[in-house]
Amino acid sequence: MPRFFIPPENIRDGRFFLSGSEARHAIHVLRKKSGDTLELFDGKSTSFTGRIESVTPEALNGILLETRSTAVVSGPELTLYQALLKGPKWDWLIEKVCELGVRRLVPVETARTIVKTEGRDVAGKVARWRRIALAAAKQCGRADMMVIETPQVLSDVLAVAPSGEPLRLIPWEKETSRTIRQACQGFRGQAAQVFIGPEGGWEEDEVNFARRQGCVPVSLGPTLLRAETAGIVSATLALHELREVLR
């Protein structure tokens, strides 16, 4: 059954109010009507089953039949700092890292980043990226929402000391010995960060600066991965290893 995102403030006293694009999809695409049931989630930690009582062209109201507290994605809070990619690759990456359980995705501009956001409709792009993440969350059953930040410059991100002393990993093709598994051993914190470079790779100065800011260079294996593949692989390995050591 399709799931619909509903802001927490639209749930009150055992009732729900669904509006905007989610309501229009339910009404005009799925032809939902009074008496039908809906599966809802609030983007925090709660899912609901509701029954529609009234429908207008732009909104619908109903009562809640069931409320379920759903654990958010388990494991460490992984933030992926990914160099911006060209259109379809970026959209695909958003979808997949949301499915994997990444908590935050931060687009970054690096020395070799091809895609630049300066002078462009950044707000519009971020809004579209968040819609992709919402669709992915609905499809994969996440109760929480992956946060997508506005694009940032890599040097600015690295220069700010992160709170909570997270594990900071930076995959780099010139690192040939240390793996993500090795880097995760002994870490007992709840937050981790992974930095992924652009199609042209990192400049050595960037990696050296990242190292001084507490990042650990790691290897992703003997072959050179595409930037979007590196993001998926790194997130998968980091989440797996950190879940293991946190057990």
Side-chain angles (χ1 to χ4, degrees):
M1 180 181 293
R3 302 168 71 236
F4 298 88
F5 168 67
I6 186 166
E9 60 269 22
N10 287 6
I11 297 284
R12 184 179 302 170
D13 298 328
R15 301 188 62 82
F16 69 91
F17 173 71
L18 192 66
S19 61
S21 60
E22 293 290 272
R24 289 191 294 272
H25 181 71
I27 297 165
H28 301 295
V29 178
L30 299 180
R31 304 295 182 183
K32 294 292 183 178
K33 59 187 184 300
S34 180
D36 289 345
T37 57
L38 292 177
E39 292 297 317
L40 310 164
F41 72 107
D42 66 0
K44 301 295 183 181
S45 62
T46 309
S47 299
F48 312 88
T49 300
R51 184 172 64 232
I52 302 170
E53 289 193 327
S54 64
V55 178
T56 70
E58 294 293 324
L60 49 84
N61 291 272
I63 61 171
L64 297 179
L65 303 177
E66 183 182 3
T67 300
R68 303 179 297 279
S69 294
T70 307
V72 298
V73 175
S74 62
E77 296 185 3
L78 180 65
T79 299
L80 178 63
Y81 292 87
Q82 173 94 33
L84 279 161
L85 303 167
K86 293 180 180 179
K89 294 179 181 179
W90 184 254
D91 294 351
W92 179 82
L93 178 92
I94 293 171
E95 180 181 280
K96 299 311 171 189
V97 298
C98 178
E99 292 175 13
L100 288 171
V102 170
R103 296 289 181 89
R104 293 174 63 237
L105 173 62
V106 183
V108 293
E109 295 185 18
T110 72
R112 296 176 182 170
T113 301
I114 298 173
V115 180
K116 303 294 183 182
T117 57
E118 185 177 356
R120 297 176 179 268
D121 179 17
V122 176
K125 287 181 177 295
V126 173
R128 190 177 70 81
W129 297 340
R130 289 170 178 167
R131 289 195 296 272
I132 294 171
L134 171 60
K138 291 163 65 176
Q139 183 276 328
C140 73
R142 281 183 71 155
D144 63 327
M145 297 282 287
M146 181 177 73
V147 176
I148 300 184
E149 305 285 1
T150 56
Q152 300 179 36
V153 177
L154 176 69
S155 56
D156 292 344
V157 171
L158 288 171
V160 176
S163 60
E165 298 184 355
L167 177 66
R168 308 183 97 182
L169 304 175
I170 182 166
W172 186 36
E173 66 271 15
K174 292 187 179 181
E175 172 59 47
T176 59
S177 58
R178 185 188 293 109
T179 65
I180 287 180
R181 169 175 287 185
Q182 292 168 337
C184 290
Q185 293 302 311
F187 179 72
R188 291 295 183 270
Q190 292 294 325
Q193 300 175 344
V194 174
F195 294 82
I196 302 296
E199 288 93 335
W202 295 116
E203 288 194 349
E204 193 156 346
D205 287 347
E206 291 176 318
V207 177
N208 289 336
F209 179 62
R211 201 193 308 263
R212 292 195 297 272
Q213 300 306 118
C215 291
V216 180
V218 292
S219 170
L220 296 180
T223 59
L224 190 62
L225 303 181
R226 290 181 178 273
E228 64 273 23
T229 308
I232 299 294
V233 170
S234 299
T236 302
L237 291 174
L239 285 168
H240 172 75
E241 295 300 333
L242 291 171
R243 285 167 181 158
E244 288 294 314
V245 299
L246 290 174
R247 282 184 176 180

